Amino acid sequence: MSAAAAAKKKRGAGSSEFAEAERAAKFIFSKTKLRPKIALVLGSGLGGFADELTEATRIPYEKIPGFAKSTAVGHAGRLVIGKAEGVVVAAMQGRVHYYEGYSAKEVTFPMRAFGRMGIKSAILANAAGGINTGYKQGALVLLRDHINLMGVNPLIGANDERFGPRFPDMSKAYSAPYRAIAGEEARQLKMEIQEGVYAALSGPNYETPAEIRYLRTIGADLVGMSTVPEVIVARHMGIEVLGISCVTNMAAGILDQTINHEEVMETGARVRTQFVALLRAVIPRMAGGKN
Ligand code: HPA
């Protein structure tokens, strides 16, 4: 059985995505007394933040009803509920990707569960290729907007109004107030931070130089293989989003060198301290105080 088919079977055929999300939320709540205010999705090489949470409960994805198991190298594959600076968060240490063979709905199912847990804010972090030549390898970039070129959309199919509207607005996909908070905190930490537009492709191959020139022409500053499906689903449910990319490499054709996953992981590890410091500063302000 394929991983996708196994995940589907585990979710239980026939029951609605809404009922499945409720089930996952209830399961997660049965494992901890903490009630998270903010969800974090930590991508390639960026999962270290979850190791530093206090009063933490760690739940492997395979234990949670409906959650797919991450097969990507560098993705631990567990949900960590704990406190950061006194704020309760639910952190996905590693995510699943469309290129792993999961459907867009499977990829975004954890976000549905977070919605049913009553979470209203999410931070999505990813590793990305830098298209904007003003970026340096290792830079952190706040997402201002995205371009969905994945060829899929997690909202395709019957719409469940309990989640959100059939035609959700995407003009404010990334919260301007959260971006302002992150920008201010980065400056306080003397960290260089920029803003940019993220283009999502399905992957799993890295892009060709011609594809990168095309992406630059249409207004993309960053390129990656994740985040956009989760953001679409978050916005469908009215969850406010902060998106952060770590420029793990310059995109194809910019430098005279090839791109490999090891480099992506290494750069992620190199910016860990900065990334963790930024999250620690931003989270209490996003939560509007401690809980
Ligand atoms: N392209 C797509 N995804 C990526 C890249 C890239 O160059 N780097 C990290 N994730």
Side-chain angles (χ1 to χ4, degrees):
M1 195 180 341
S2 73
K8 198 168 190 171
K9 184 158 174 250
K10 189 151 69 89
R11 280 212 316 277
S15 63
S16 72
E17 191 183 15
F18 191 88
E20 287 164 13
E22 294 259 277
R23 196 150 72 94
K26 267 202 195 121
F27 176 85
I28 293 163
F29 278 173
S30 77
K31 297 292 171 199
T32 172
K33 287 199 183 68
L34 299 180
R35 295 293 173 260
K37 274 195 167 178
I38 301 177
L40 289 106
V41 183
L42 304 166
S44 302
L46 301 172
F49 175 77
D51 292 330
E52 301 184 18
L53 297 177
T54 56
E55 298 171 48
T57 298
R58 297 182 169 79
I59 317 171
Y61 294 155
E62 58 259 41
K63 295 248 167 78
I64 307 174
F67 273 46
K69 190 174 163 15
S70 174
T71 65
V73 178
H75 289 252
R78 61 179 167 248
L79 181 68
V80 186
I81 315 254
K83 290 187 179 180
E85 304 293 316
V87 179
V88 180
V89 302
M92 288 186 74
Q93 204 168 25
R95 54 154 59 88
V96 298
H97 303 82
Y98 182 58
Y99 65 70
E100 292 175 72
Y102 295 110
S103 70
K105 282 208 196 300
E106 285 166 331
V107 167
T108 53
F109 181 77
M111 193 58 71
R112 291 295 190 202
F114 297 148
R116 295 318 304 150
M117 286 161 66
I119 290 174
K120 299 267 184 275
S121 310
I123 302 176
L124 290 110
N126 59 49
I131 296 174
N132 185 324
T133 51
Y135 296 161
K136 289 190 207 96
Q137 195 180 18
L140 295 175
V141 181
L142 304 172
L143 304 193
R144 190 172 59 233
D145 208 341
H146 73 222
I147 304 173
N148 180 13
L149 297 172
M150 287 188 120
V152 288
N153 190 304
L155 305 183
I156 288 175
N159 185 59
D160 192 328
E161 293 283 331
R162 291 173 293 182
F163 281 133
R166 171 75 288 188
F167 301 111
D169 177 64
M170 287 298 281
S171 55
K172 292 180 177 166
Y174 299 85
S175 159
Y178 285 175
R179 214 159 59 237
I181 288 172
E184 281 169 29
E185 294 302 326
R187 278 186 288 281
Q188 285 279 325
L189 292 163
K190 310 253 179 289
M191 230 180 249
E192 231 183 279
I193 199 139
Q194 279 156 300
E195 291 193 5
V197 174
Y198 176 90
L201 276 63
S202 73
N205 59 284
Y206 293 115
E207 300 70 34
T208 64
E211 286 166 344
I212 294 304
R213 287 194 298 275
Y214 157 74
L215 293 173
R216 184 180 295 122
T217 305
I218 65 170
D221 299 297
L222 301 147
V223 60
M225 307 173 193
S226 69
T227 306
V228 163
E230 293 108 304
V231 171
I232 291 172
V233 162
R235 296 304 299 138
H236 186 227
M237 296 185 290
I239 294 174
E240 296 286 333
V241 174
L242 175 67
I244 309 175
S245 281
C246 168
V247 178
T248 53
N249 57 280
M250 293 315 289
I254 295 177
L255 306 175
D256 188 19
Q257 59 188 46
T258 57
I259 300 165
N260 62 73
H261 189 59
E262 287 66 41
E263 180 189 20
V264 168
M265 296 299 301
E266 272 165 32
T267 312
R270 194 154 56 75
V271 302
R272 174 188 164 129
T273 313
Q274 275 201 331
F275 179 67
V276 168
L278 182 62
L279 290 184
R280 284 196 175 284
V282 165
I283 284 170
R285 289 191 59 190
M286 277 176 65
K290 300 185 176 191
N291 60 347

